Structures are given as structure tokens and as C-alpha cells.
Amino acid sequence: MPEDSTRRTPELDQVRRLLFPTLSPEEGWARIEGALAGAKDDDRVDAIEELAGRDLTAELIAALRRLQTPAE
């Protein structure tokens, strides 16, 4: 697959590091680019890029806190 660095935004790089912390950057990007290639339409690509722009760390921490809070 040809390298598509136009999609390698800082936000997407953060997602790569969160999802694939043990892989080399090249391997992580290969997986990200594979996912983007699998998103055959612009709506799916836009959805992936929108998720990449979020503060996923804060969302994950909030989700974990909700799981720890006992149900009332």
C-alpha cells in the first residue's frame, strides 16, 4: 500500500500511539491506513477522522470512572 502521509494528522498519530503502543510507527500506520482503506466511502473516513480528533484519553478515563461508580 502506498504511504499516504496526507492523512497522518497529529490527532491520528495520537490514536496510532494509543491503539498500537507496542508496534513500530510503520506497523501502526500500516494498520491505520488499512482501516482507512477499508472505509470505502467518505462518510466512514470522516467518522474515523472525527474520532481521531477527540480526546480519547479523557473519554476512556470517564468511561472507567462510570464503571467504578456503584449503581444507586
Side-chain angles (χ1 to χ4, degrees), residues 8 13 16-17 19-32:
R8 292 185 178 189
D13 188 50
R16 177 195 58 80
R17 287 181 277 125
L19 292 176
F20 309 113
T22 61
L23 296 180
S24 71
E26 295 80 19
E27 291 174 298
W29 278 118
R31 291 194 184 192
I32 294 287

Side-chain angles (χ1 to χ4, degrees), residues 14-70:
Q14 180 183 14
V15 170
R16 177 195 58 80
R17 287 181 277 125
L18 286 170
L19 292 176
F20 309 113
T22 61
L23 296 180
S24 71
E26 295 80 19
E27 291 174 298
W29 278 118
R31 291 194 184 192
I32 294 287
E33 289 167 355
L36 290 171
K40 301 275 186 223
D41 61 48
D42 289 338
D43 290 338
R44 288 182 180 178
V45 172
D46 290 344
I48 291 169
E49 290 178 350
E50 189 274 327
L51 285 171
R54 290 185 183 175
D55 183 355
L56 297 177
T57 303
E59 289 185 25
L60 178 60
I61 291 170
L64 289 171
R65 285 184 178 146
R66 284 192 300 273
L67 290 173
Q68 292 177 342
T69 304

